[in-house]
Amino acid sequence: MKNYIKADEWNIIEEGFDPHLNKISESIFSLGNGRMGQRANFEETYTGETLPGNYVAGVYYPDKTRVGWWKNGYPEYFAKVLNAANWVGIEVKIDDEVLDLATADVSDFKRVLNMHAGILERTFTAKLKSGKIVKVKAIRFCSIADDEVGVISYSITPLNFGGKLTLMPFIDGDVKNQDSNYDEKFWDMVADEITGTEAYIKLRTKKTEFEVCTGSNIKLYKNNEKLNINPEAVRKEKFVGQTFSLDVKAKEEITLIKIVANLSSENYPKDELLKKTKSVIAKTTSKGFDVLLKEQTEAWATKWEESDIIIEGDVSAQQAIRFNIFQLFQTYTGKDDRLNIGPKGFTGEKYGGSTYWDTEAYCVPFYLATAPQEVSKNLLIYRYKQLGKAIENAAKLGFKDGAALYPMVTMNGEECHNEWEITFEEIHRNGAIAFAIYNYIRYTGDESYLSDFGLEVLIGIARFWKQRVNWSSDKQKYVMLGVTGPNEYENNVNNNWYTNLLATWCMRYATEAAEIVQNQSPEKSASLLKSLNFDAKEFADWADIIEKMYYPEDTETGIFLQQDGYLDKEQTLVKDLPASERPINQKWSWDRILRSPFIKQADVLQGLYFFEEDYDLETIRRNFDFYEPRTVHESSLSPCVHSILAAKLNDEARAYEFYLRTARLDLDDYNNDTEDGLHITSMAGTWMSVVEGFAGMRVRDGKLQFNPFLPTQWKSFSFTIGFRGVTLKVTITENGINIKNNNDVDVEVAIKNQFYKLKGNAEIEVNNAELV
Amino acid sequence: MKNYIKADEWNIIEEGFDPHLNKISESIFSLGNGRMGQRANFEETYTGETLPGNYVAGVYYPDKTRVGWWKNGYPEYFAKVLNAANWVGIEVKIDDEVLDLATADVSDFKRVLNMHAGILERTFTAKLKSGKIVKVKAIRFCSIADDEVGVISYSITPLNFGGKLTLMPFIDGDVKNQDSNYDEKFWDMVADEITGTEAYIKLRTKKTEFEVCTGSNIKLYKNNEKLNINPEAVRKEKFVGQTFSLDVKAKEEITLIKIVANLSSENYPKDELLKKTKSVIAKTTSKGFDVLLKEQTEAWATKWEESDIIIEGDVSAQQAIRFNIFQLFQTYTGKDDRLNIGPKGFTGEKYGGSTYWDTEAYCVPFYLATAPQEVSKNLLIYRYKQLGKAIENAAKLGFKDGAALYPMVTMNGEECHNEWEITFEEIHRNGAIAFAIYNYIRYTGDESYLSDFGLEVLIGIARFWKQRVNWSSDKQKYVMLGVTGPNEYENNVNNNWYTNLLATWCMRYATEAAEIVQNQSPEKSASLLKSLNFDAKEFADWADIIEKMYYPEDTETGIFLQQDGYLDKEQTLVKDLPASERPINQKWSWDRILRSPFIKQADVLQGLYFFEEDYDLETIRRNFDFYEPRTVHESSLSPCVHSILAAKLNDEARAYEFYLRTARLDLDDYNNDTEDGLHITSMAGTWMSVVEGFAGMRVRDGKLQFNPFLPTQWKSFSFTIGFRGVTLKVTITENGINIKNNNDVDVEVAIKNQFYKLKGNAEIEVNNAELV
């Protein structure tokens, strides 16, 4: 746990330069626009510890799988988002000395990430070995208005000398992934071009043959006056740049504006890439830095209008929640249904930038409420488009007849993960994908999604579950053997309650969805079912399983058992674990973790969270009280679900306690792993803790409901959400709740089970006293 | 499955050269003497497919572990027996053409492995591209009389030409392991020396710094007349050799005798290695080829006298059983308690040449009966010496107070394996190590082993089990969670019946052993227990667990359940599996195997085999009839246990059927994997099938018992065994059994529960009619 980020409502601030914190800060100050993302690597040379990271969404490399012992069914490769050409680089030489913060004496170092505008600013003063002192101010953003464009303004001022300044802005494609399995480099160069102040390089990935063209144009200013200097072209292996040499006097500020475009063959024909990149460079160069900055600021302002959460009385919490929202929008904008959300977004290499069930279970609710409907719909369509691969994936494991098993980790729909206990057994992910369809329709009311896309996916998933269970003649029930639940501290268990529940729910929902589509359009329904070779008997099979499924339960205590045999474990509690033995995933051997009762993240409770309407409060409380004391929360996805459930159980103090564990996870480097990248998907969980937890927001019967409380640590909090065409601003204070309708459409909302009509552009205020 | 080895009682014969079979033959025709082992790689150049293999026992390399996903507790490295310097090489040039069977036209190719004498002979005629034809005869052996010595006689005769013949015998240390995890070479050169006809090279392993010095002396003969040719020294990177050039006429036979010594720093101070190697070379050279050959032949004859099995009426079976016995003795001679038996012996790299529980469960019974007592005792002492490492290994997994967990795979006592489900969970191996102590004492009567070595090991093991079980308040029994039984087609199961049984057996036997030692010598007992910080309460703890252990069982059917929940599986049988889906370990994904009912090798039945006296025949039959039809026998260790149990159940046809699956496993390349090396440890299982199965031999109350039958396919079989100082030859014919006592000590034996006195040097014959 670190604590070096300065509290501020809208800015993330680091003051002073500590090389030991640099990789953490590179993660925290990352920029992105959904299409490209950059860690906060320095522009100038840095020979200290750094994790270079420049990522282009959707451009991946199938790195040959590395295992100790091969098991049948393992995927041949792990697709990973590539570290792409470094476009931020600017080598700075003063006379013959290279500016390098690892060797210079650095003072007045400050980084500010302005979240409201999506801009990163870095200032410092560096004294070189020669005694020369320079002041630098670097501003950078990844344009969210034009997501192929990155912009840098790099200003340098000699403070105590005059001399020769050499600036070499460059694009360097000779990069590699630090997590490369076999230490290979993944890029080949296809073409390069340097013309005056422009430089272009076109690189191609090995195997997948994606092409990315990166171009840049450079402008130079002295004290805001444009300079016309003919640069010298620099061309190396997979590297293009220009050298600008100039004589500067003390106190003269030289500013280099580098406008960059990154275009990928995912969006253009390969043979037009260079041409298109040139035209983007031409267009943006003609706009110039100030216009681009204005576009950026405005675009982010719009996003904030739709999604901001305001917390009064706690600057640190305010900063944290905005940081989470900001990073989520930097990662995914929903414009492209081929893209998704890696657990680390564009802020590191870990998890390969690939898609996990995190998207459906945690991110979809966030985007549903804070972004236009198309954004979450595109997350769903991503899976729809990968249905064929999910069917192939299931076939590799011996399933047939259109059964679909979505992968645990994927880029293009193929499974990438290679631990059998997760890859093959953590199949509850399939249920989360179905649940996201349900959740999307519940929130948006867009039932047409079912006939267009959803039903086909639901049938594939239901077919999988049907084949995955088997009849136990011993139990006279259907059972599901050999699974891993969300609690990955158990492997290969039988009858994981959550997975069994999700499986039958999927079959039930697929049946309902088929009815809905049948009612919408009998022709469409008939044609779809025919194309899927669907036999009506399948409904009967599902119904039989729904009826006769086995759910492990301790009937005496009313506890749903995480899996068969859970009660055979030594029933010790987390509070009895010595601090020196935690986190157990670092201190204990794997077998010890497995046979312990300790739970990594919500498992039975994840089911009670998803399907809370099916259980009375006492049942939820009993299970919460049983499982939470056994939960070590060693997944960043754990506390948020517990926070929401605690809120539901009116345990406001614990709801807030769980919230705190997630809110500043990365800003405070809680788990000592922020240097690898940010926990992007768990940031959505933090948002959920506030909106679903503290505000108790739900959608029931097509209406929004709230069941709010105010954490005692705060004065008030408010959030903006979109719901079925209206934007509501919800404010919770110690007195009660205020809901303002920003549109001219009437809505009905429930507050603590009481319904209120809320007219267009009106607001309602309900005092606590009025609520029982 | 292949079928190219010619049947012969004492020889393994290959006729004709098929490059596709070469790697298989390299395995089958392997030579060894317990100290070194060589695959049957050609002496001359071979550019075709080959797996070079020259191994020096006990010389290993800790190859850095390779995993997909690291789990706490994984070992840092996998120790593997090294491919050591190639000492068999002789480059042959005719004029300027290199003799290479991959490019020559080969005829009359024949390999004969003379098992009675331990000699490999290879003859062929090769027509080179130039049209020149040579005849070659190569004889090779690894001396079992002097286990540091290897000998080659290589004769070449030009048939249709005269010309220049160049022979370059060499020692090449620039070798690598094909299974190297990171493609490294493991040897560095320390010294080399070439003097006249002698050449020496001293190599050192990286990391472990073992040194091996290999020396050779060369003699040349023309038509049996010694030639005196001054060779030219050849020295390359990690390579020494000599070139002998001579003019030959057609039909003149040139013979090169290469006598080699391999000495390792395991047995000599490093700085004396070269000197010692020279003295071995001097000594063996002065003996000469014929004397060395005679020593070899005599030493093997002695081994056969103690261990032969004779089968009349089935040449193929006769060849197979001798091949198995021969390979076991080539692998392990019992002279050195630091050595053990890798599953592939010295015939390949697979399994790293390391020690598995195969040794205790399968090999110990073989050596007990066929070799002096010290041989199996040394196998036990190997583990005794590694007790400290076993305690460290347990400590890494969180156990304490002297609990010992022997590794799944090891060279020096440290765990090498890195699949959590096996490494951490397949802990029944610990029980097999205790069982081998019991078995050794049962067979030999040597109870002094307990106080000298055994009790300490048994206490460490019992302590492990005590900590490994936990009290289930749900079951009100002790349970053992998260294990993998011998059936590795299940992982992380709860209450594996076999493991639970073995655990309590170990605690009971440790308690008994402590009593025996106490009775032998109260002082010794007290001092040992004190040194182990043993508290008498530990006996009480063990007794409590023994009393209250849970064993899964289906009381209705009287079936011991392999593990909790086994009956929840779909109860399909192996006979219902389509042939196209077998072997399931190649055709099915791992998760599918795990949730299927199919069993890799004896699990419950392994327990019934070990502890048959504790169960009545009907119980054994019920369980056999239940489990065998669910067993796919996809481990080479499976059929023998089933063969023995079937014999016990008087199902002679099935006993023979299971025997057939193991007997020619490698000779017929049954599993298409003989090219990787031979299944050495399962060869002991084949021997057990004959002696424990067909002959029904057991030791009960210090006496040998037989319960024989003759497979209808055979006329008779007989075997020689040693037992407590006597050597018995047991012959089973269709009429009955004959036992001949080769010593002048009286013994008592039981045949079908009837006791007979057998005087020294006498024999008894009991007809079937006399036996009921």
Side-chain angles (χ1 to χ4, degrees), chain A residues 32-47:
Chain A
N33 60 16
R35 176 82 58 201
M36 61 196 212
Q38 279 69 37
R39 285 171 60 82
N41 310 124
F42 297 159
E43 286 83 1
E44 71 278 356
T45 303
Y46 185 64
T47 57

Side-chain angles (χ1 to χ4, degrees), chain A residues 88-336:
Chain A
V88 301
I90 302 171
E91 191 195 70
V92 178
K93 265 193 197 167
I94 291 135
D95 293 324
D96 278 333
E97 261 180 307
V98 173
L99 174 60
D100 174 358
L101 295 203
T103 58
D105 190 359
V106 184
S107 58
D108 298 328
F109 183 92
K110 186 171 184 179
R111 268 196 258 228
V112 177
L113 178 61
N114 174 341
M115 298 185 285
H116 195 268
I119 290 164
L120 174 63
E121 186 174 309
R122 181 170 60 108
T123 50
F124 61 86
T125 301
K127 183 178 178 184
L128 305 186
K129 291 253 182 291
S130 60
K132 291 171 189 152
I133 302 176
V134 292
K135 200 176 103 184
V136 170
K137 175 177 183 175
I139 297 171
R140 187 199 295 181
F141 57 92
C142 289
S143 172
I144 204 155
D146 181 345
D147 60 17
E148 292 169 334
V149 173
V151 181
I152 295 169
S153 160
Y154 194 89
S155 301
I156 180 162
T157 310
L159 293 186
N160 64 346
F161 68 96
K164 189 177 148 202
L165 174 67
T166 314
L167 296 171
M168 180 179 67
F170 63 83
I171 305 165
D172 181 7
D174 194 25
V175 294
K176 64 177 195 169
N177 272 45
Q178 289 201 352
D179 74 343
S180 159
N181 282 343
Y182 295 91
D183 225 23
E184 291 169 282
K185 290 187 175 177
F186 301 142
W187 292 99
D188 289 325
M189 199 180 81
V190 185
D192 63 358
E193 195 178 311
I194 307 174
T195 319
T197 58
E198 292 180 28
Y200 297 91
I201 191 162
K202 193 161 83 154
L203 298 157
R204 182 195 292 141
T205 57
K206 290 175 184 164
K207 290 194 204 169
T208 32
E209 301 196 345
F210 290 109
E211 290 187 8
V212 173
C213 187
T214 305
S216 63
N217 187 27
I218 309 298
K219 284 184 183 162
L220 275 182
Y221 299 85
K222 182 187 285 184
N223 296 333
N224 294 321
E225 295 271 323
K226 188 160 189 313
L227 292 174
N228 287 310
I229 297 173
N230 278 337
E232 195 184 322
V234 182
R235 181 178 265 122
K236 290 193 279 188
E237 169 80 10
K238 305 185 207 171
F239 180 106
V240 291
Q242 294 110 336
T243 304
F244 295 84
S245 301
L246 53 163
D247 292 313
V248 284
K249 300 201 186 94
K251 309 283 166 67
E252 279 181 347
E253 184 188 58
I254 304 298
T255 299
L256 184 152
I257 304 289
K258 185 178 186 182
I259 293 178
V260 177
N262 262 313
L263 274 64
S264 116
S265 60
E266 284 287 89
N267 304 309
Y268 304 95
K270 288 178 184 175
D271 56 5
E272 291 181 20
L273 257 187
L274 180 57
K275 199 180 75 186
K276 292 284 181 190
T277 308
K278 287 183 177 177
S279 92
V280 174
I281 285 292
K283 189 184 71 188
T284 45
T285 303
S286 76
K287 280 184 183 172
F289 181 82
D290 292 340
V291 173
L292 293 169
L293 183 70
K294 184 162 173 283
E295 285 176 359
Q296 170 79 343
T297 309
E298 286 171 357
W300 270 104
T302 306
K303 284 209 180 283
W304 285 113
E305 275 165 29
E306 291 170 352
S307 63
D308 193 21
I309 292 184
I310 298 162
I311 296 171
E312 284 192 320
D314 188 338
V315 175
S316 163
Q318 174 66 75
Q319 181 184 44
I321 192 72
R322 282 195 176 129
F323 182 67
N324 290 349
I325 295 169
F326 178 68
Q327 289 295 352
L328 282 161
F329 282 125
Q330 288 209 121
T331 305
Y332 187 72
T333 57
K335 286 186 194 168
D336 188 335

Side-chain angles (χ1 to χ4, degrees), chain A residues 421-473:
Chain A
E421 60 273 22
I422 293 182
T423 315
F424 303 151
E425 293 203 337
E426 202 175 330
I427 51 180
H428 67 81
R429 62 194 185 241
N430 230 22
I433 286 159
F435 190 79
I437 296 172
Y438 167 77
N439 210 6
Y440 167 80
I441 294 171
R442 174 170 65 175
Y443 198 92
T444 62
D446 174 20
E447 283 198 338
S448 72
Y449 184 81
L450 283 180
S451 57
D452 292 344
F453 308 101
L455 180 58
E456 203 171 331
V457 170
L458 293 170
I459 287 177
I461 289 173
R463 283 170 161 176
F464 170 81
W465 292 121
K466 193 256 158 191
Q467 294 172 39
R468 188 58 171 74
V469 303
N470 71 272
W471 179 251
S472 163
S473 51

Side-chain angles (χ1 to χ4, degrees), chain A residues 44-82:
Chain A
E44 71 278 356
T45 303
Y46 185 64
T47 57
E49 276 218 49
T50 173
L51 172 63
N54 299 275
Y55 311 102
V56 179
V59 175
Y60 63 89
Y61 181 79
D63 202 11
K64 194 165 165 289
T65 301
R66 195 177 66 182
V67 295
W69 306 87
W70 191 265
K71 297 225 200 276
N72 260 356
Y74 277 163
E76 296 292 330
Y77 66 85
F78 193 109
K80 44 187 66 159
V81 163
L82 284 175

